[in-house]
Amino acid sequence: MEAEKKHSSAVSNVGAWALNIISSVALIIANKHLMSPTAGYAFSFATTLTGFHFCTTAFIGLVSNATGYTTKRNVPFWELIWFSVVANTSITGMNLSLMLNSVGFYQVSKLSMIPVVCLLEWLLHGKKYSTKVKMAVIVVVVGVGVCTVTDVQINAQGSLCACVAVLATSLQQISIGSLQKKYSIGSFELLSQTAPIQALSLLLLGPFVDYFLCGKLLADYKISPAAFFFILLSCSLAVFCNISQYLCIGRFSAVSFQVLGHMKTVCVLILGWLLFDSEMTPKNILGMAIAVIGMIIYSGAVEADKSADSKALQYRKHSSTEDVKLLLKHVDGSSLLKDVELGKSQG
C-alpha cells in the first residue's frame, strides 16, 4: 500500500512538472509570435496581456467554484491583497528590467533568484540546505549562465528595477507555498482567489505601464483575427501555466521550482533553434549540459535530504516510544514495590 502511494505521488509530481514545462514553453512561443514586430503581430502590451491571462484564470476559478468542483477556503483578504501587490510588482519589475537592461544583465538577474529565494526562506522560515543541495544550485546557475548570458551592461535605473523584480518574484513564490500550508488550501483554490485581484489591478494599470515601456497606446492597436486567436491561445496556455506553478511550489518548494524550472530555459533554446533558426553555439550546448547535470544532482540531493529527514523522524518517534515504555515500567515497578511493602507492614 505504501509503495503504491509513493508511486502515485511520483507520477503526480512528474505530471505537475511536465504540465508546467510544456505550458510555459508553449506560452513563451505563442507570446513571441504575438509580440514580434517582424515575424508576428506586434502586440507589445505585455503587462496588459498578463492582465488578460489572470482575467481568464479568474473566470475558470469562478466557474469551478460555481459548479462545485472546488470549494472556497477562507483566506484573509489583506493577505490576498498583499500577495497580489507583490505578484504584480514582480510582473511590472520584470518588464521594466527587460526594457532598461541589456539581455545579459536581465538573465543574470533572473539567475540571482535562486540564491535570493534560499536566503529569504532561511530568514523567514529558518530553512537550511545541505552542502549537496548548495553545490547543485551553483552548478545549475553556472550552466544556465554559460548558455544564456552574453553582453552584461549595468545602469542605475535598470539595476534598481532588477533588484525590485528579483525580490518581489522570490517573495511571491515563497508566499504561494506558505499560504497553501498556513490555510490548508489547494493550489487551484488559492489561485482562484488571487487571480481576480491581480486581473483587476493589471487591467487598470497595465495600459499605463505598457505605454511607458513601448510608447504605444492599447487603444491604437488594430487587432486582426489572427492576433485575436493568438491572444486567446496565450490566455488559455497561461491558465495551465499558472495552475501548474502553484501546484509545483505547493508540492515542492520555491527553490525547487526555480532550479528545475530552468529546464524551461533549455527547452526554449532548443525549440528556438528548431523553429526560429536561432543560433546554437558550442557554448550554448555546453551550458545546457552543465545545467541539466546540475538539475539531476539537485534532484538526487533533495531526495537524499528527504530520506534522511524521514529516518530521523522515525528514530525520534521510536526513541520517544521506548522512553514512554521505560517510564511505564518504572511506574508499575514502583507501585508493585509499594504494595509489597504495605503487605509486609500490615502482616
Side-chain angles (χ1 to χ4, degrees):
M1 182 66 75
E2 190 173 342
E4 287 181 6
K5 283 183 179 179
K6 284 184 178 179
H7 177 71
S8 177
S9 177
V11 171
S12 299
N13 292 344
V14 171
W17 278 118
L19 178 62
N20 184 254
I21 290 171
I22 292 169
S23 60
S24 297
V25 172
L27 179 63
I28 290 168
I29 293 171
N31 285 350
K32 186 173 182 179
H33 198 72
L34 176 65
M35 294 180 177
S36 175
T38 53
Y41 301 99
F43 188 86
S44 53
F45 310 98
T47 311
T48 306
L49 181 63
T50 308
F52 293 158
H53 291 169
F54 280 105
C55 193
T56 309
T57 305
F59 176 73
I60 298 296
L62 184 65
V63 171
S64 179
N65 287 331
T67 54
Y69 182 75
T70 54
T71 54
K72 188 175 181 180
R73 298 287 183 89
N74 186 32
V75 179
F77 186 67
W78 70 267
E79 292 226 47
L80 297 177
I81 291 290
W82 157 251
F83 176 85
S84 300
V85 168
V86 171
N88 288 350
T89 303
S90 164
I91 294 164
T92 307
M94 279 296 179
N95 289 338
L96 287 169
S97 177
L98 184 58
M99 183 193 78
L100 296 172
N101 293 310
S102 64
V103 176
F105 186 77
Y106 176 74
Q107 289 294 343
V108 169
S109 68
K110 285 183 71 177
L111 286 173
S112 69
M113 283 183 201
I114 299 177
V116 170
V117 168
C118 291
L119 178 63
L120 287 176
E121 285 204 322
W122 174 64
L123 290 172
L124 297 174
H125 304 298
K127 190 169 183 178
K128 296 179 181 179
Y129 300 92
S130 66
T131 305
K132 287 183 180 179
V133 169
K134 292 174 184 175
M135 292 303 296
V137 166
I138 292 170
V139 173
V140 173
V141 170
V142 169
V144 177
V146 168
C147 67
T148 60
V149 177
T150 51
D151 61 313
V152 179
Q153 298 173 8
I154 302 173
N155 63 78
Q157 283 184 320
S159 299
L160 179 62
C161 289
C163 289
V164 171
V166 168
L167 183 62
T169 304
S170 302
L171 274 174
Q172 182 239 357
Q173 292 181 357
I174 292 171
S175 299
I176 289 173
S178 61
L179 284 173
Q180 288 186 52
K181 289 175 183 175
K182 185 177 180 180
Y183 297 104
S184 301
I185 187 171
S187 53
F188 185 66
E189 293 167 344
L190 177 62
L191 178 60
S192 63
Q193 292 192 52
T194 57
I197 302 171
Q198 286 188 253
L200 180 62
S201 53
L202 286 172
L203 289 176
L204 289 173
L205 299 175
F208 299 101
V209 175
D210 289 329
Y211 180 75
F212 175 75
L213 291 172
C214 63
K216 297 176 184 177
L217 289 171
L218 179 64
D220 294 336
Y221 181 77
K222 294 180 180 179
I223 191 166
S224 65
F228 183 70
F229 167 78
F230 270 94
I231 290 172
L232 288 179
L233 178 63
S234 178
C235 290
S236 301
L237 291 169
V239 172
F240 291 103
C241 188
N242 288 332
I243 292 172
S244 59
Q245 179 191 11
Y246 279 57
L247 193 62
C248 287
I249 294 176
R251 282 175 171 268
F252 307 101
S253 68
V255 176
S256 294
F257 183 76
Q258 278 292 329
V259 172
L260 300 179
H262 279 297
M263 180 58 73
K264 292 178 279 191
T265 306
V266 174
C267 291
V268 167
L269 287 171
I270 293 171
L271 288 173
W273 173 60
L274 292 172
L275 301 177
F276 300 104
D277 295 325
S278 298
E279 186 181 7
M280 181 67 72
T281 64
K283 178 173 170 282
N284 296 137
I285 297 170
L286 174 64
M288 286 189 289
I290 294 172
V292 171
I293 290 169
M295 290 173 204
I296 294 169
I297 296 171
Y298 177 83
S299 300
V302 169
E303 285 302 315
D305 285 355
K306 282 183 181 177
S307 178
D309 291 342
S310 178
K311 286 179 181 177
L313 182 62
Q314 287 178 356
Y315 176 76
R316 284 197 296 270
K317 283 182 178 178
H318 179 71
S319 298
S320 60
T321 303
E322 290 298 318
D323 290 342
V324 170
K325 286 180 179 178
L326 286 170
L327 182 61
L328 288 173
K329 272 186 179 181
H330 177 72
V331 170
D332 289 344
S334 299
S335 60
L336 181 62
L337 184 62
K338 284 181 180 178
D339 289 342
V340 171
E341 289 175 352
L342 184 62
K344 283 181 180 179
S345 62
Q346 285 178 347

